[in-house]
C-alpha cells in the first residue's frame, strides 16, 4: 500500500488543525506538504501506524496486549504566524534529525535508591519510586536505536539529539550500559553477582545481549539531566552523608545507602515477575564498585573518551553546555544548555554565569551572522527556577509533613550559600529568548510527556517541543525535519516514533509493563494531545536569514 492509498483509508476526521478544517484539504494529498525526509521515512513513524493497547476482551481471550493501529496525520499549527494559511507544497528540507530523551538506564539492584521510601513518598504526591519495567531500560534503548537505524536506511539523519537523564542514578555502570547500547557491542545490564532468574538467553532483564548501536555515520549529541549527575535525580553525591543525617530524622526509609556498599533499605534481586514493593526488605546485598556515582565532569569525560555525545573541547569541563553546527553550509546552530542543578533538586537550574557568559554571547553571535538557532536542554522553560522558587517548591512539596518542615532549613542550607551565583528564572529566560527572532525551537525532555507549546507570538516567539521518556509509556522518540516553504516561512515537521520491538521481545514486554504501571491520567498526560505528537509548526524567518536558504 503506498502513502496515498494508506491515507485514503484514514479516518476522515483526522486532525488537520482548527484553522485549516474549512479548507477541505484532501487527506490523500498531505504527502505533498512533506519534505524529503518524511516523504522517505513516514512509514517508520506514527504517521503510518501507532502501537496501542488492545481491548480488554482481546487481552483476556487472545493474550495480545498491543497491536498496530492506523496512524495520526499532521496538525498544522499557525500560532506563530500573523495569518492562517496552508503550508506550501514540496518545501525544501534543511535539517533532518531525531530526538530521544529520558532513557533512564537503571541499575535496579543499587542500594542508593528510594524504593523503600515509596509508601512515604506516595503520601506527599511523589510517585513511581519503583516501576515494573525498570529492569528493561537497556533493551528499550537498544530497540529505539534499531528503529532509528531503520529510518536511516531510507533517509540519513543529520544527527541524533539526546536531552538527558540518560541514566537514572548517576552511576558509572549505568552510563557504561547506556554508552555501550548507543555505540554497539555487548551489554551486560547486571550488577553485584551475575544472576540469571530465567535460564537461557534474552528472556530476562539481566541477560547480556549484543547491542546493534547507532550507525557510525550518524553523530549524536547529549544534554545533561538531573538524574545524570544527582542520586535519584535529587541528591548531590558529595553531600549524601549530610543529606542522610538530616533526612533520617524524618524517616529511615529515605536514607540513601552507599551505592558501592553492601546494605540496602530494600534488597532487590533480578526477577522474572516484578516484585511488590511491600514485600521488599532491608538487608545485605552484593557490593559492586562499578556502582560508584560520577561527577558531572566524569559524566562528560566518559562520553568524550568514546568521542561521542559531547564535543572534545567545551567552555566549562564541569558543565555540559556547548554549541555545534549540525550541517555544513546551513546557517543554523544548536545551543545546548546544562540545566541540571548541582545543588540538588529535580527542578531546573540555569546558572547566571552560563546564561550571561555562554548562552547570550552564542545568541548574539548567531544574530550577527544571520543564523537560525535551536536551543536544547533537559528541562523545559517552566521548570527553570530561581533559588527562591526552588525553596518555595520544597516547602510546598513537604507542607503536609511537620517533621520534614522541621529539617527543611538544614536541607536548604546549600541554597543560601549559593546566592552569589544565582539561577535564571523561567520568566527572565523566556523574555530574553523571545527577543531573538532567529530562535525557532527549544527541544527538551524531563517531564516524560509529548507536549508542544508556542512561546511568544508571531515574529517574536518560538516552539518548545517536549518528547516522552523511553522509560514510561508510551516510550516514544521524535523525528524532526526543519523545512523552508519560501516567502520567509519555515516549519518544523515533527512526528513521534514507537520503538519497533518484535512481539514477545523484552522491549515489547517493557512497553506493556509501562502501561500497567501508569494510571489512566498519567497515560493521557504522557501521550499528549494529537497536536503534541504529529504537527507542522510554522514560523517566520528574518529576511536576511531567508536569503541564505
Amino acid at each position: 500500500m503506498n502513502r496515498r492509498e494508506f491515507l485514503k483509508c484514514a479516518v476522515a476526521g483526522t486532525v488537520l488543525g482548527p484553522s485549516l478544517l474549512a479548507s477541505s484539504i484532501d487527506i490523500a494529498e498531505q504527502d505533498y506538504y512533506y519534505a524529503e525526509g518524511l516523504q522517505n521515512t513516514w512509514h517508520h513513524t506514527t504517521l503510518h501506524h501507532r502501537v496501542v493497547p488492545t481491548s480488554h476482551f482481546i487481552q483476556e481471550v487472545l493474550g495480545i496486549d498491543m497491536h498496530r493501529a492506523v496512524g495520526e496525520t499532521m496538525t498544522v499549527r499557525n500560532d506563530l504566524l500573523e495569518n492562517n494559511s496552508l503550508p506550501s507544497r514540496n518545501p525544501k528540507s534543511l535539517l533532518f534529525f531525531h530526538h530521544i530523551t529520558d532513557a533512564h538506564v537503571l541499575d535496579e539492584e543499587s542500594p542508593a535508591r528510594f524504593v523503600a521510601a515509596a509508601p512515604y513518598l506516595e503520601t506527599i504526591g511523589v510517585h513511581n519510586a519503583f516501576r515494573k519495567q525498570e529492569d528493561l531500560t537497556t533493551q528499550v534503548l537498544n530497540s529505539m536505536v534499531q528503529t532509528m537505524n531503520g529510518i536511516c536506511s531510507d533517509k540519513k539523519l543529520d544527527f541524533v539529539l539526546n536531552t538527558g537523564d540518560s541514566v537514572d542514578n548517576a552511576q558509572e555502570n549505568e552510563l557504561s550500559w547506556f554508552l555501550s547500547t548507543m555505540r554497539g557491542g555487548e551489554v551486560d545490564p547486571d550488577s553485584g553477582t551475575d544472576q540469571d532468574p530465567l535460564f537461557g538467553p534474552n528472556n530476562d532483564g539481566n541477560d547480556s545481549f549484543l547491542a546493534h548501536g547507532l550507525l557510525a555515520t550518524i553523530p549524536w549529541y547529549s544534554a545533561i539531566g538531573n538524574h545524570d549527575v544527582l542520586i535519584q535525580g535529587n541528591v548531590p553525591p558529595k553531600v549524601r552523608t549530610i543529606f542522610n543525617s538530616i533526612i533520617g530524622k524524618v524517616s529511615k526509609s529515605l536514607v540513601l545507602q552507599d551505592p558501592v556498599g553492601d546494605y540496602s533499605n530494600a534488597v532487590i534481586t533480578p526477577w522474572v515477575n516484578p516484585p511488590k514493593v511491600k514485600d521488599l526488605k532491608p538487608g545485605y546485598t552484593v557490593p559492586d564498585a562499578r556502582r560508584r556515582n560520577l561527577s558531572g565532569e566524569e559524566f562528560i569525560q566518559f562520553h568524550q573518551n568514546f568521542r561521542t555525545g559531547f564535543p572534545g573541547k567545551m567552555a566549562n569541563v564541569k558543565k555540559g553546555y556547548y554549541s555545534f553546527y549540525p550541517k555544513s553550509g546551513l546557517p543554523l546552530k544548536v545551543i545546548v544548555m546544562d540545566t541540571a542543578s548541582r545543588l540538588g533538586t529535580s527542578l531546573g537550574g540555569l546558572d547566571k554565569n552560563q546564561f550571561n557568559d555562554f548562552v547570550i554571547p552564542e545568541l548574539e553571535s548567531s544574530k550577527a551572522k544571520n543564523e537560525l538557532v535551536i536551543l536544547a536542554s533537559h528541562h523545559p522553560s517552566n521548570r527553570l527556577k530561581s533559588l527562591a522558587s526552588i525553596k518555595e517548591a520544597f516547602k510546598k512539596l513537604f507542607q503536609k509533613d511537620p517533621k520534614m518542615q522541621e529539617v527543611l532549613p538544614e536541607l536548604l542550607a546549600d541554597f543560601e550559600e549559593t546566592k552569589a551565583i544565582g539561577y535564571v528564572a523561567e520568566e527572565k529566560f523566556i523574555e530574553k529568548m523571545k527577543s531573538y527572532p532567529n530562535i525557532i525551537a527549544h527541544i527538551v525532555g524531563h517531564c516524560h510527556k509529548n507536549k508542544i507549546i508556542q512561546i511568544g507570538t508571531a515574529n517574536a516567539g518560538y516552539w518548545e517541543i517536549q518528547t516522552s521518556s523511553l522509560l514510561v509509556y508510551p516510550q516514544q522518540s521524535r523525528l524532526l525535519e526543519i523545512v523552508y516553504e519560501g516567502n520567509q516561512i519555515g516549519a518544523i515537521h515533527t512526528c513521534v516514533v514507537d520503538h519497533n520491538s518484535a512481539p514477545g521481545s523484552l522491549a515489547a514486554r517493557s512497553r506493556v509493563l509501562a502501561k500497567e504501571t501508569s494510571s489512566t491520567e498519567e497515560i493521557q498526560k504522557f501521550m499528549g494531545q494529537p497536536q503534541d505528537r504529529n504537527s507542522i509548526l510554522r514560523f517566520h524567518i528574518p529576511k536576511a536569514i531567508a536569503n541564505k536558504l
Side-chain angles (χ1 to χ4, degrees):
M1 179 183 290
N2 62 33
R3 177 168 177 75
R4 205 159 286 113
E5 290 170 338
F6 172 81
L7 287 171
K8 285 179 179 177
C9 296
V11 179
T14 301
V15 179
L16 288 173
S19 62
L20 300 179
L21 285 176
S23 300
S24 301
I25 296 177
D26 186 347
I27 295 177
E29 295 184 353
Q30 274 205 28
D31 53 328
Y32 292 126
Y33 295 95
Y34 299 156
E36 181 184 3
L38 282 181
Q39 281 182 352
N40 287 290
T41 62
W42 68 278
H43 56 284
H44 294 281
T45 78
T46 56
L47 291 170
H48 179 272
H49 64 270
R50 295 170 296 142
V51 179
V52 299
T54 58
S55 67
H56 180 71
F57 175 79
I58 295 296
Q59 291 177 24
E60 290 293 319
V61 176
L62 300 179
I64 299 174
D65 297 288
M66 297 281 173
H67 75 290
R68 284 193 173 192
V70 67
E72 292 181 323
T73 55
M74 292 285 198
T75 298
V76 179
R77 298 183 61 173
N78 288 320
D79 313 54
L80 293 180
L81 296 182
E82 293 177 343
N83 299 306
N84 290 332
S85 60
L86 294 174
S88 298
R89 291 189 172 206
N90 302 313
K92 178 183 179 181
S93 179
L94 301 178
L95 193 65
F96 189 53
F97 66 101
H98 209 111
H99 179 215
I100 62 171
T101 192
D102 295 85
H104 285 275
V105 169
L106 189 155
D107 176 10
E108 75 277 8
E109 298 178 70
S110 174
R113 299 187 61 200
F114 284 136
V115 175
Y120 169 82
L121 294 173
E122 290 285 343
T123 66
I124 59 172
V126 178
H127 308 294
N128 298 315
F130 174 82
R131 293 181 172 91
K132 295 178 180 179
Q133 73 277 16
E134 63 184 29
D135 64 327
L136 300 171
T137 52
T138 54
Q139 290 83 359
V140 172
L141 178 61
N142 184 52
S143 180
M144 189 58 79
V145 168
Q146 292 180 65
T147 302
M148 291 190 288
N149 287 344
I151 290 171
C152 289
S153 68
D154 290 312
K155 172 60 180 173
K156 182 178 179 294
L157 293 165
D158 291 308
F159 69 101
V160 170
L161 178 64
N162 165 40
T163 51
D165 277 4
S166 303
V167 301
D168 190 70
N169 210 30
Q171 292 182 190
E172 179 183 337
N173 61 339
E174 293 176 336
L175 182 56
S176 175
W177 300 339
F178 174 83
L179 290 174
S180 295
T181 306
M182 290 294 291
R183 284 174 47 83
E186 184 177 5
V187 180
D188 187 5
D190 203 352
S191 66
T193 56
D194 189 10
Q195 296 173 284
D196 188 14
L198 185 61
F199 181 76
N202 300 317
N203 57 15
D204 65 70
N206 292 79
D207 285 339
S208 63
F209 63 92
L210 189 63
H212 292 255
L214 187 67
L215 293 174
T217 56
I218 309 301
W220 60 276
Y221 302 90
S222 284
I224 290 182
N226 50 298
H227 281 264
D228 295 325
V229 292
L230 302 172
I231 303 175
Q232 294 292 267
N234 280 274
V235 180
K238 65 181 180 181
V239 302
R240 181 181 62 84
T241 302
I242 298 173
F243 170 84
N244 287 341
S245 67
I246 299 170
I247 207 71
K249 300 174 186 177
V250 177
S251 173
K252 295 299 182 183
S253 67
L254 288 167
V255 170
L256 287 167
Q257 300 298 335
D258 185 354
V260 301
D262 63 357
Y263 187 81
S264 174
N265 291 340
V267 176
I268 294 178
T269 56
W271 62 76
V272 175
N273 296 308
K276 296 180 179 179
V277 172
K278 66 181 181 63
D279 295 332
L280 299 174
K281 306 297 181 183
Y284 290 94
T285 188
V286 178
D288 193 330
R290 297 171 299 175
R291 292 181 181 137
R292 75 180 183 95
N293 292 125
L294 299 176
S295 66
E297 184 175 359
E298 289 176 312
F299 182 85
I300 294 169
Q301 186 62 55
F302 265 72
H303 285 77
Q304 292 175 328
N305 289 343
F306 290 104
R307 298 182 180 180
T308 192
F310 293 90
K313 293 183 179 180
M314 300 178 65
N316 185 332
V317 295
K318 294 184 179 180
K319 300 294 286 289
Y321 54 84
Y322 59 95
S323 67
F324 66 95
Y325 290 93
K327 189 173 182 179
S328 177
L330 179 67
L332 184 150
K333 179 166 65 178
V334 180
I335 299 175
V336 180
M337 299 173 288
D338 185 339
T339 58
S341 169
R342 303 306 195 268
L343 294 176
T345 172
S346 63
L347 293 170
L350 179 60
D351 63 273
K352 292 181 178 179
N353 289 342
Q354 178 185 170
F355 186 71
N356 294 325
D357 300 338
F358 170 72
V359 177
I360 299 304
E362 287 284 338
L363 288 170
E364 288 295 327
S365 174
S366 288
K367 182 179 178 181
K369 295 177 181 178
N370 293 317
E371 297 170 340
L372 297 174
V373 170
I374 294 175
L375 303 172
S377 66
H378 179 66
H379 294 85
S381 55
N382 68 353
R383 292 296 193 272
L384 299 180
K385 303 296 180 183
S386 65
L387 292 175
S389 296
I390 291 174
K391 290 173 65 178
E392 287 303 312
F394 271 105
K395 292 177 182 178
K396 183 177 180 180
L397 177 63
F398 299 120
Q399 62 185 348
K400 296 180 181 180
D401 188 339
K403 288 185 178 180
M404 187 63 80
Q405 292 180 33
E406 289 178 12
V407 303
L408 266 181
E410 292 180 86
L411 285 175
L412 297 175
D414 278 348
F415 290 89
E416 295 292 340
E417 296 172 4
T418 317
K419 280 184 177 178
I421 298 176
Y423 287 152
V424 178
E426 168 192 358
E427 297 79 12
K428 180 179 180 180
F429 174 81
I430 288 177
E431 282 305 307
K432 189 63 177 178
M433 296 305 102
K434 287 193 303 183
S435 70
Y436 290 94
N438 55 327
I439 295 178
I440 62 173
H442 184 190
I443 314 295
V444 299
H446 184 66
C447 294
H448 296 187
K449 63 183 179 181
N450 294 314
K451 184 72 175 177
I452 300 175
I453 61 172
Q454 68 176 92
I455 301 291
T457 56
N459 301 324
Y462 56 92
W463 295 101
E464 184 178 270
I465 303 171
Q466 295 185 44
T467 305
S468 76
S469 166
L470 295 183
L471 175 63
V472 303
Y473 190 80
Q475 298 185 340
Q476 292 174 327
S477 61
R478 184 180 292 275
L479 197 58
L480 303 99
E481 186 168 21
I482 313 299
V483 308
Y484 182 49
E485 297 183 8
N487 298 318
Q488 294 181 243
I489 301 297
I492 303 168
H493 293 188
T494 182
C495 55
V496 294
V497 179
D498 292 311
H499 56 85
N500 187 21
S501 303
S505 66
L506 292 174
R509 173 169 168 75
S510 175
R511 182 160 43 206
V512 173
L513 291 172
K515 178 185 176 297
E516 291 179 0
T517 300
S518 303
S519 66
T520 301
E521 292 74 21
E522 286 176 322
I523 290 173
Q524 292 174 344
K525 178 180 71 173
F526 296 153
M527 290 186 65
Q529 298 300 311
Q531 63 267 25
D532 298 315
R533 297 190 287 266
N534 300 348
S535 281
I536 294 177
L537 311 171
R538 306 177 76 206
F539 55 87
H540 177 80
I541 299 177
K543 184 175 181 180
I545 301 178
N547 288 339
K548 299 169 69 173
L549 302 176

